[in-house]
Amino acid sequence: MKRFVRNILFFLLLALPCCTLLCWALGGTGIMRTVSYHLGNYGHLFTRLQEARQCRDVDVLFLGSSHSYRTFDPQYYEQQGLSTFNLGSSNQTPVQTAVLLEQLLDTLNPRYVVFEVHPDIMSNDGVEGAVDLISNTPVTCATWRMALHSRSSKELGTVLYATLWNRIRMAGFEEDKVIGEVSYEGRGFCQLPDRCYSPHPCVSRNVEPLPEQVEALRKCLEMLDERNIPCLLVQVPATATLTSSWQNYGVFLEQMTSLGDFVALQPCLDDSLHYYDEDHLNNAGVNLFNDYFYHTVLEAWMEKR
Amino acid sequence: MLFTSLQFALFLPVTFAVYWLLRSRPRLQNMAVLVASYVFYGWWDWHCLLLIAFTSLASFVSGMAMERLSSQRAVKAVMWCNVALNLGILGLFKYYDFFAQQFADVFLAGQGDALLLHLILPVGISFYTFQALSYTIDVRRGTVRPTHDIVAFMAYVAFFPQLVAGPIERATNLLPQFERQRHFDYALAVDGLRQMLWGFFKKMVVADSCALYVDAVFGSVDGHNSVTLAVAALCFSIQIYADFSGYSNIAIGCAKLFDINLRRNFATPYFSRDVAEFWRRWHISLTTWFRDYLYIPLGGSRCSKPRVLLNTLIIFLVSGFWHGANWTFICWGLFHAVLFMPLIMAGKNRRYLDVVASRDKLPSFRELLQMSGTFVLVTFGWILFRCNSIGDWWRFMQGLVHGGWGRPWEGAPHDFLIIALSVSVMLLVEWLNRDSTHEFARLPRRRWLRWGCYIVLIFMILALMPTGEMPFVYFQF
């Protein structure tokens, strides 16, 4: 038995560095399914985080997924006399938002937070958002905790690879301002090309929030509460075809309402005029929405809080 | 608890440590196995524990009763009661809704929703029920003496490595191992770990990679071209083998860590030269179970040719139905019976009892053709097995014939490369080990080469496994 245990330990001591070395060598080639490392992605998270680290004391901080960073336009709010920053990223679920808040909340030090919540994102396992975050931010204990907690092999593989490579890869890296069709406009906001969506039926799906996402959202709200930062939960508009495909949408609305100040906004927007795709606004929609949101919701809410 | 889960990675070392700390006390070791097995099984749904405990107790009591009764009639009655009870439970959970639905379709014009029970099928019920049945029947036959040790018996029924998907063990093999003193055997444990590693590779790399493609195509069979459907059928053929034999490898290897030897369940079946040989090498524990407890009592091969053919037909139909309450499984059994019967009629069903190309490194051209032909026939059968209904199967076959040419691969090129690479590794290793005790038994003698192989396999598993939890195919049975 002693020999068995000794040999197992000896083998593990040999296998661990060998596997790590192979991961270091092959992780960036795309061969490994469990490593999804993309430094500089269409969500512009790398540039956004670089800018966020330089930004101090904003009036309003926007959090959420692509629905946030493609919707809340800081230029519009600047015209209203508010300094804002958009800290959303692609498929960013509350689990990743919690990691980002741990890293950046004290730096950004916002007076108010607008937290975008989306039924599809709340019912998402968050792996895609996590690997985007891991690839584009220096690996910290919080990132490792997130990956270990998720138990996803993809997150674990990517965080291991990022730990080995991030310092080297990020040094001197500059992300393009335009990736694919998406252009980075500054202060976290990304603009989509001017295009209109042709409505088509969406596959019906269950959007009951996952317990781990609700738990992470609670954690974010507690973090903000400890610093006395008021937070407004907002669901940005989605096309009528998408909204009608959500099963258990009522459960989502109920759960969000129970967590704090919550608004689900459905201003008079047209599926074929104001949307880029089924759940992202185009530029016309963004302009209309921000105006509507600021005047009917945000202004009054900030005054109240 | 899945073998491929992180929970199992913690559960196994803890169980191993506790078990060998109690090495001087076999009864306590059995208790540890029993507790571990119930934790392992209860991880899915603890309610199912009641069922397995009841099945075990009923069979244990039957064994004791048969020992005490002097009249052969009474012994027989007890055995039949126990058989009826076990099959009744299995029937209720697995087959009741199927028969109720058929009844409703025929007599109530499909309006029979009130008849359906919609019971959850407990994981592995078909496996442990058969294991418990074999004990009762063997006691009646006198091939095993009834045990008086209830803990050993319950550990025999619920032994966690093989509880949910076999190999289906016999009391004659497994029960005595729980009744004897066990000793840690270094060589056996190392061989067990090696076999587990091979099982994990087959399941997590080969089977799960194929599953991504298979699920996408079989999930909606319409609109695919013939080539895509053929590739999907081929992938399923590989998936089901890698998945199920991978599970068996893990189970058998895991048992070896506890100084328990389980029966072999697969012996490189895709290197078979005809269907009869395939059935001697595929799911051996189930095939031999049906042979010993159904085929031979029906008369086996020692009766007239028509009777032998009828017995064969019965065996295959029952075997198909054992897999699930669906016409697809029954037709799959029928399909194999149709392939098997000509071999019986020609007296060629026991032509290939040895390993293919046993004295050569490579098969002859004739053997290659035979193996390919058998593989294609078996793959046609798997289409029936995988389709959700006969209607789906019919559409699949229409697509296969009339779907026309097109892109052979609808998935990502990267996925195709992973499948091609991993299947090549699997076939090569299994070909080299086709006459060994298991498919990963023969490795280089030099330690650094052997360990190098292990590290490469571990890295392939860690790097190429698809993300997300993928249960074993045979869990549904």
Side-chain angles (χ1 to χ4, degrees):
Chain A
M1 175 66 92
K2 270 185 194 162
R3 185 177 159 214
F4 180 74
V5 174
R6 197 185 56 220
N7 278 355
I8 291 276
L9 290 176
F10 184 53
F11 175 76
L12 288 177
L13 277 176
L14 189 74
L16 271 173
C18 286
C19 287
T20 309
L21 194 73
L22 284 167
C23 175
W24 178 80
L26 299 172
T29 58
I31 294 172
M32 293 176 67
R33 274 203 180 113
T34 43
V35 174
S36 177
Y37 184 86
H38 299 286
L39 176 61
N41 210 350
Y42 60 92
H44 290 91
L45 184 58
F46 181 79
T47 311
R48 183 177 297 111
L49 292 179
Q50 268 192 331
E51 201 181 340
R53 284 180 209 112
Q54 316 299 326
C55 209
R56 301 275 182 281
D57 304 327
V58 295
D59 291 322
V60 182
L61 174 66
F62 295 106
L63 298 169
S65 58
S66 58
H67 309 103
S68 167
Y69 74 73
R70 289 177 183 177
T71 300
F72 298 109
D73 182 358
Q75 277 185 18
Y76 172 85
Y77 295 97
E78 211 171 303
Q79 287 162 13
Q80 312 305 323
L82 291 172
S83 69
T84 63
F85 193 88
N86 205 319
L87 199 60
S89 68
S90 298
N91 274 312
Q92 181 179 307
T93 66
V95 173
Q96 288 86 53
T97 306
V99 176
L100 283 175
L101 284 180
E102 261 184 59
Q103 293 179 1
L104 291 162
L105 187 59
D106 291 332
T107 310
L108 291 164
N109 191 29
R111 279 170 57 209
Y112 301 95
V113 164
V114 171
F115 201 127
E116 178 268 326
V117 282
H118 192 278
D120 282 333
I121 296 291
M122 289 300 290
S123 53
N124 182 313
D125 63 7
V127 174
E128 291 311 313
V131 294
D132 190 23
L133 179 66
I134 293 165
S135 306
N136 290 286
T137 178
V139 178
T140 61
C141 290
T143 337
W144 265 101
R145 255 201 323 271
M146 173 184 72
L148 288 169
H149 196 255
S150 75
R151 293 190 199 149
S152 150
S153 52
K154 200 184 222 178
E155 277 188 48
L156 286 166
T158 309
V159 81
L160 174 67
Y161 182 78
T163 308
L164 300 168
W165 271 108
N166 259 4
R167 268 175 194 278
I168 303 165
R169 290 218 165 179
M170 281 181 178
F173 176 77
E174 274 199 34
E175 194 171 50
D176 292 337
K177 290 286 174 226
V178 180
I179 300 177
E181 293 184 311
V182 186
S183 67
Y184 186 76
E185 300 294 318
R187 296 189 87 79
F189 180 70
C190 286
Q191 196 173 46
L192 291 162
D194 244 332
R195 191 188 299 161
C196 288
Y197 168 65
S198 347
H200 58 264
C202 300
V203 181
S204 146
R205 53 185 177 265
N206 191 347
V207 290
E208 201 169 326
L210 294 175
E212 59 265 34
Q213 299 300 355
V214 176
E215 194 46 47
L217 180 54
R218 275 211 185 92
K219 191 181 155 194
C220 294
L221 295 177
E222 276 168 20
M223 222 185 288
L224 296 170
D225 206 37
E226 279 165 16
R227 291 166 174 82
N228 290 320
I229 304 169
C231 177
L232 174 66
L233 300 175
V234 176
Q235 188 206 329
V236 300
T239 51
T241 48
L242 180 68
T243 314
S244 60
S245 74
W246 288 330
Q247 289 175 355
N248 295 356
Y249 183 42
V251 177
F252 168 80
L253 294 175
E254 218 171 87
Q255 214 153 12
M256 293 305 113
T257 311
S258 72
L259 288 168
D261 296 344
F262 169 67
V263 279
L265 293 167
Q266 288 297 346
C268 295
L269 298 175
D270 190 299
D271 277 13
S272 50
L273 291 176
H274 302 118
Y275 286 89
Y276 172 80
D277 57 27
E278 60 195 25
D279 61 348
H280 292 103
L281 295 165
N282 61 18
N283 293 330
V286 165
N287 293 336
L288 269 174
F289 169 76
N290 279 307
D291 202 39
Y292 173 84
F293 175 63
Y294 177 71
H295 291 296
T296 37
V297 180
L298 189 62
E299 214 174 15
W301 177 76
M302 287 197 303
E303 223 166 80
K304 199 175 101 188
R305 301 301 299 255
Chain B
M1 196 183 294
L2 285 175
F3 280 160
T4 51
S5 66
L6 277 177
Q7 292 97 314
F8 185 73
L10 296 173
F11 167 87
L12 184 61
V14 171
T15 310
F16 178 81
V18 171
Y19 183 83
W20 288 113
L21 279 174
L22 301 168
R23 62 182 172 278
S24 54
R25 304 163 86 172
R27 283 180 67 87
L28 282 180
Q29 275 186 315
N30 290 344
M31 185 54 89
V33 166
L34 182 60
V35 171
S37 301
Y38 275 41
V39 168
F40 177 86
Y41 191 61
W43 211 265
W44 277 286
D45 186 349
W46 66 268
H47 294 94
C48 297
L49 288 176
L50 299 174
L51 202 60
I52 192 170
F54 178 72
T55 301
S56 306
L57 283 174
S59 299
F60 177 75
V61 171
S62 305
M64 297 275 277
M66 283 192 272
E67 188 184 36
R68 285 185 190 171
L69 292 168
S70 48
S71 142
Q72 278 305 303
R73 262 181 107 170
V75 168
K76 207 171 173 182
V78 170
M79 183 202 77
W80 279 113
C81 281
N82 186 260
V83 170
L85 181 72
N86 276 313
L87 291 181
I89 293 171
L90 183 65
L92 179 71
F93 281 92
K94 194 165 176 176
Y95 301 107
Y96 172 80
D97 275 2
F98 172 75
F99 285 114
Q101 188 65 58
Q102 303 309 311
F103 179 81
D105 288 348
V106 174
F107 297 107
L108 307 172
Q111 303 296 310
D113 276 358
L115 291 177
L116 303 181
L117 295 176
H118 299 294
L119 293 173
I120 295 169
L121 182 66
V123 182
I125 188 170
S126 311
F127 290 91
Y128 69 72
T129 302
F130 269 40
Q131 202 154 302
L133 274 177
S134 81
Y135 168 76
T136 314
I137 300 169
D138 284 348
V139 169
R140 159 80 179 90
R141 287 176 175 176
T143 48
V144 70
R145 62 173 177 75
T147 180
H148 294 205
D149 185 344
I150 187 161
V151 177
F153 183 76
M154 290 180 85
Y156 152 74
V157 176
F159 186 41
F160 71 88
Q162 45 85 245
L163 170 60
V164 286
I168 301 167
E169 271 301 331
R170 306 289 181 80
T172 43
N173 177 48
L174 187 53
L175 197 50
Q177 297 191 62
F178 281 115
E179 290 173 329
R180 67 166 165 81
Q181 177 84 38
R182 275 140 280 168
H183 304 282
F184 182 78
D185 181 339
Y186 175 81
L188 188 68
V190 169
D191 191 49
L193 282 181
R194 192 183 296 149
Q195 196 168 356
M196 284 179 81
L197 178 61
W198 187 241
F200 280 120
F201 170 76
K202 284 206 280 187
K203 163 63 186 162
M204 295 170 82
V205 181
V206 183
D208 288 353
S209 298
C210 291
L212 296 175
Y213 190 72
V214 169
D215 290 349
V217 176
F218 278 88
S220 60
V221 292
D222 300 316
H224 298 291
N225 64 60
S226 303
V227 190
T228 302
L229 293 174
V231 171
L234 189 73
C235 282
F236 181 65
S237 214
I238 294 162
Q239 182 203 343
I240 194 161
Y241 169 65
D243 191 287
F244 193 21
S245 72
Y247 179 92
S248 297
N249 282 138
I250 300 168
I252 296 167
C254 185
K256 284 178 181 171
L257 293 175
F258 299 88
D259 191 24
I260 300 278
N261 280 295
L262 300 180
R263 296 147 63 90
R264 193 173 189 185
N265 214 15
F266 289 87
T268 55
Y270 286 156
F271 299 143
S272 303
R273 286 151 288 183
D274 63 22
V275 173
E277 189 186 4
F278 172 81
W279 279 107
R280 278 192 293 277
R281 296 174 173 278
W282 179 273
H283 203 176
I284 300 165
S285 65
L286 180 72
T287 315
T288 51
W289 198 99
F290 279 125
R291 183 196 64 200
D292 294 346
Y293 298 109
L294 192 59
Y295 183 71
I296 291 173
L298 284 171
S301 314
R302 293 183 180 171
C303 42
S304 64
K305 267 272 159 72
R307 185 60 205 243
V308 174
L309 293 177
L310 180 67
N311 292 345
T312 307
L313 180 67
I314 291 170
I315 289 296
F316 276 108
L317 288 179
V318 173
S319 166
F321 201 46
W322 175 90
H323 284 86
N326 194 329
W327 285 108
T328 52
F329 294 121
I330 297 170
C331 292
W332 172 75
L334 184 66
F335 173 78
H336 274 279
V338 168
L339 295 180
F340 204 101
M341 286 200 269
L343 294 171
I344 293 179
M345 286 198 284
K348 290 183 174 176
N349 55 318
R350 297 185 65 78
R351 198 166 32 156
Y352 300 117
L353 298 174
D354 59 337
V355 174
V356 63
S358 53
R359 289 178 192 165
D360 301 305
K361 284 187 176 166
L362 292 171
S364 64
F365 183 66
R366 180 187 152 87
E367 284 168 334
L368 197 65
L369 278 182
Q370 286 174 321
M371 287 192 291
S372 310
T374 308
F375 179 73
V376 169
L377 287 175
V378 169
T379 298
F380 266 103
W382 290 134
I383 298 172
L384 261 169
F385 194 93
R386 179 61 180 79
C387 284
N388 295 325
S389 62
I390 294 293
D392 270 4
W393 173 78
W394 182 243
R395 287 205 302 282
F396 191 101
M397 296 309 286
Q398 279 184 319
L400 201 59
V401 176
H402 303 297
W405 293 94
R407 282 178 59 207
W409 187 257
E410 289 185 357
H414 175 235
D415 287 336
F416 175 76
L417 284 176
I418 290 176
I419 292 176
L421 172 74
S422 58
V423 171
S424 306
V425 170
M426 181 180 82
L427 289 179
L428 177 68
V429 170
E430 299 214 343
W431 177 260
L432 294 174
N433 280 284
R434 65 195 182 284
D435 54 354
S436 306
T437 49
H438 63 82
E439 301 89 326
F440 202 50
R442 197 180 297 153
L443 280 169
R445 286 193 142 204
R446 286 175 192 274
R447 179 189 276 197
W448 65 271
L449 262 177
R450 215 168 48 241
W451 282 25
C453 291
Y454 301 154
I455 290 172
V456 168
L457 268 193
I458 290 173
F459 181 72
M460 283 181 83
I461 293 169
L462 294 176
L464 303 181
M465 64 180 173
T467 53
E469 207 168 69
M470 302 183 103
F472 289 86
V473 173
Y474 261 67
F475 277 17
Q476 60 185 300
F477 309 133

